[in-house]
Amino acid sequence: MKLLYLDTGMGAAGDMLSAALLELFPADEQKKILGEINGCGLEGVHSETETVSRCGIKGTLMHVLIDGAQEEESSEAAEHHHEHHHDHHHAVHMDDIVRRIDSLKLPETVREDAKAVYQRIAAAEAKVHGAEVSEVHFHEVGMMDALADVITVSFLIRRLAPDRICTDTVTTGFGSVHCMHGILPVPAPATEKLLEGIPVQAGTIEGELCTPTGAALLGYFVDDFGPMPPMIIQKSGYGCGKKEFPKANCVRALLGEMVSDGQPQGNILCINCNVDDMTPEEIAFATERIAAAGAAEVYTVPAGMKKGRPGIQITAFCAPDRKDAVLSAFFKHTSTIGVRAFFQTGYRMESRVRELETPEGTVHIKESTGFDQTRRKADYDDAASLAIRENISLREARERIRAQEVRI
């Protein structure tokens, strides 16, 4: 499994993430990628790189030029510039940002990612200022600077195509920072909203280390937060911040293969209940909705209930961060008035899906590895389609696919 790990011990900003990810590519490819991004149609915006050193570590500093000049970095205001209603001549709405993104010559997935990230920023600003998202205004220069970072990070992540993205606890810095509204605490209010649900720490450096754009990008793209999992590092990149601190002001990006070493893959939450007054159709519908709420696995088993009544036990497993949604689905779609919930340690083999070209067409093969074992299984729908087309049994269809695997 291809893993992208981001070291955010010195926080995260859009330009630092962009630079760190860009360094994961060969030097000649970096130039081509920057050319593609600069040629996407973001009017008046040009990104360029500079090799710098932070505490003796060589890295890349990303410069975003707006009409040939560089925007000054100054906290929340630098990236978002929420404007009061009396000053609209340099302000844009979220609808304007969406239109600009939609007009860019970029892959559709990149445009969708960029819109989703900026929607997070707008939603955070709206909460901070007690406004609707549609009412939030962004200063155009600051918005273009942040938008360039969002587009660049989205483009690079899609080009890298990691299977999983992880980062450690995000360091925010501490103290206060000046912005257009006055003096604000660190993390700035918009950043704090964007970091809700993410493990954070102040760290030992005074100042704003995590910006709203950095927080929005992490919140959107990162799958897991915590210590670096076992991995084989293949490439590394350092994205440097503009300021010098006693500690190296860098975001480090590590790209490699995740290692399955037989260690626990984390805590999973088990939730179950017993019911004896639901029809089979209602139970089937309930299990579907519980799965849709975020349960990784849902199953039922027969159960003997009080007074000898036959019943059903419904059990679901989910990640801890899906607890509220899964609990809500239990109470909404089953007749239970109480559930049991407890943590268990999960072990899981790493899985990937690959395509196998056969004379009968493309077949998707799920390959699972770990614990000194490898297992392969043809996708059920693909095997069933082959069985129906050839008028053979499902077992025969799977045997044909296995035979093709051996030949290839």
Side-chain angles (χ1 to χ4, degrees), residues 71-103:
E71 172 74 350
E72 284 297 319
E73 186 178 18
S74 61
S75 149
E76 180 186 41
E79 299 210 354
H80 308 300
H81 293 267
H82 177 279
E83 294 290 315
H84 293 297
H85 295 288
H86 64 266
D87 184 17
H88 289 178
H89 61 287
H90 287 304
V92 292
H93 294 84
M94 187 61 205
D95 287 346
D96 302 319
I97 295 171
V98 169
R99 280 194 290 271
R100 293 191 193 199
I101 295 173
D102 282 336
S103 71

Side-chain angles (χ1 to χ4, degrees), residues 30-52:
Q30 291 180 28
K31 294 179 182 179
K32 292 178 183 177
I33 289 171
L34 269 183
E36 288 183 59
I37 294 171
N38 285 327
C40 75
L42 197 56
E43 190 174 351
V45 179
H46 181 83
S47 297
E48 55 188 43
T49 60
E50 176 188 357
T51 300
V52 298

Side-chain angles (χ1 to χ4, degrees), residues 1-24:
M1 176 184 287
K2 186 191 288 188
L3 172 68
L4 172 62
Y5 187 78
L6 301 172
D7 182 348
T8 54
M10 277 295 287
D15 57 347
M16 296 169 72
L17 290 166
S18 298
L21 294 171
L22 187 64
E23 279 209 345
L24 296 176

Side-chain angles (χ1 to χ4, degrees), residues 138-172:
F138 296 90
H139 185 280
E140 185 162 10
V141 175
M143 180 276 296
M144 294 298 279
D145 181 76
L147 185 55
D149 292 333
V150 169
I151 288 169
T152 302
V153 170
S154 301
F155 185 94
L156 294 171
I157 286 179
R158 286 291 179 176
R159 182 66 63 92
L160 288 167
D163 296 305
R164 201 147 195 83
I165 303 176
C166 304
T167 189
D168 53 352
T169 299
V170 180
T171 302
T172 63

Side-chain angles (χ1 to χ4, degrees), residues 269 271 286-299 315-319 322-323 325-327 329-330:
L269 186 65
I271 303 172
T287 58
E288 290 175 358
R289 300 322 303 159
I290 291 169
E297 181 181 348
V298 187
Y299 67 88
T315 301
F317 294 98
C318 68
R322 301 305 303 165
K323 178 188 71 174
V326 173
L327 281 174
F330 262 91

Side-chain angles (χ1 to χ4, degrees), residues 50 102 130 207 223 339 408:
E50 176 188 357
D102 282 336
D223 299 299
V339 303
I408 292 173

Side-chain angles (χ1 to χ4, degrees), residues 334-349:
T334 77
S335 59
T336 190
I337 60 172
V339 303
R340 294 169 293 274
F342 49 93
F343 283 104
Q344 296 182 335
T345 300
Y347 293 83
R348 188 178 182 86
M349 299 172 79

